[in-house]
Amino acid sequence: MSAGLVKIQLLLGGVLRSVTLTRGEREGSYAGDLDGQAVEFDAVSLMPGVLSLILRSGTGAGQSYQCVFDQADPETGTRRVSIGSHTFAYQVYDPRSLTGRSKRARQDEGTLLLKATMAGRVVRLLVEQGAHVESHAGIVVIEAMKMQNELRAQRAGQVTELRVAEGEMVSAGQVLAVIE
């Protein structure tokens, strides 16, 4: 990945969208794609939480938009953005972000599967099987590329399974723990 290239996944209106952005040559200019469709735009921060966008290509080229961002809900991570008279709920999944990592944990009928976000080595288990954990409690620490990453519970519950041991190598997406 080149410097300045950002790849994220955006859950917008219940649809998971892939976004890739790079900085343009001019200050505030960006180019990228949204689900494979090329986009170019200029962005200027008017004040904290308020962004002015001017589309330079694609559908709506030349249009200007004011985007007002609300604070994230601390429990769900869901945010809202108002663009003109429309308001959209969204979540950002950034594979490099610890916040994004915890939000990507999947739930299935009340079961939370805590998955490895990257390949690495388990350096510490922070809980034992059967333990009750609070929301955002640390569960496992993985070392990857000489960095230690603590993976946390997205919500409170009981650790019904620990599927790894200290020192074990894990791959990205591997289930490390089950919380019910």
Side-chain angles (χ1 to χ4, degrees):
M1 189 172 351
S2 67
L5 178 68
V6 176
K7 292 183 178 184
I8 59 171
Q9 290 184 317
L10 185 66
L11 184 62
L12 182 61
V15 178
L16 192 61
R17 314 286 299 269
S18 292
V19 179
T20 304
L21 293 175
T22 56
R23 290 186 190 274
E25 293 179 16
R26 292 183 338 271
E27 177 77 23
S29 69
Y30 297 87
D33 71 68
L34 174 63
D35 292 335
Q37 181 178 357
V39 293
E40 291 181 33
F41 62 93
D42 292 337
V44 175
S45 177
L46 301 176
M47 64 180 64
V50 181
L51 189 67
S52 174
L53 293 179
I54 299 175
L55 296 180
R56 297 289 178 208
S57 68
T59 306
Q63 294 289 322
S64 175
Y65 299 94
Q66 181 172 322
C67 306
V68 179
F69 296 87
D70 292 340
Q71 294 294 318
D73 179 313
E75 289 299 312
T76 65
T78 299
R79 297 174 181 255
R80 297 198 182 281
V81 59
S82 298
I83 304 172
S85 61
H86 302 284
T87 300
F88 303 94
Y90 72 95
Q91 287 180 312
V92 177
Y93 299 104
D94 180 350
R96 299 168 302 161
S97 162
L98 288 176
T99 302
R101 291 176 191 158
S102 66
K103 302 300 185 242
R104 284 196 321 251
R106 300 291 185 240
Q107 291 182 344
D108 181 28
E109 297 177 7
T111 300
L112 173 71
L113 301 177
L114 184 66
K115 297 182 180 182
T117 55
M118 64 182 70
R121 183 177 57 86
V122 176
V123 292
R124 242 179 359 260
L125 295 175
L126 302 173
V127 297
E128 295 179 0
Q129 187 166 315
H132 179 79
V133 295
E134 295 301 320
S135 181
H136 307 293
I139 305 295
V140 178
V141 177
I142 295 178
E143 182 177 66
M145 299 184 292
K146 299 183 182 179
M147 296 287 293
Q148 291 191 2
N149 300 290
E150 183 177 277
L151 302 180
R152 299 171 179 252
Q154 187 175 347
R155 61 173 174 77
Q158 182 176 7
V159 179
T160 57
E161 292 181 53
L162 279 173
R163 296 187 181 177
V164 293
E166 288 183 6
E168 184 177 334
M169 295 300 293
V170 296
S171 57
Q174 180 177 339
V175 176
L176 308 175
V178 179
I179 301 171
E180 295 189 19

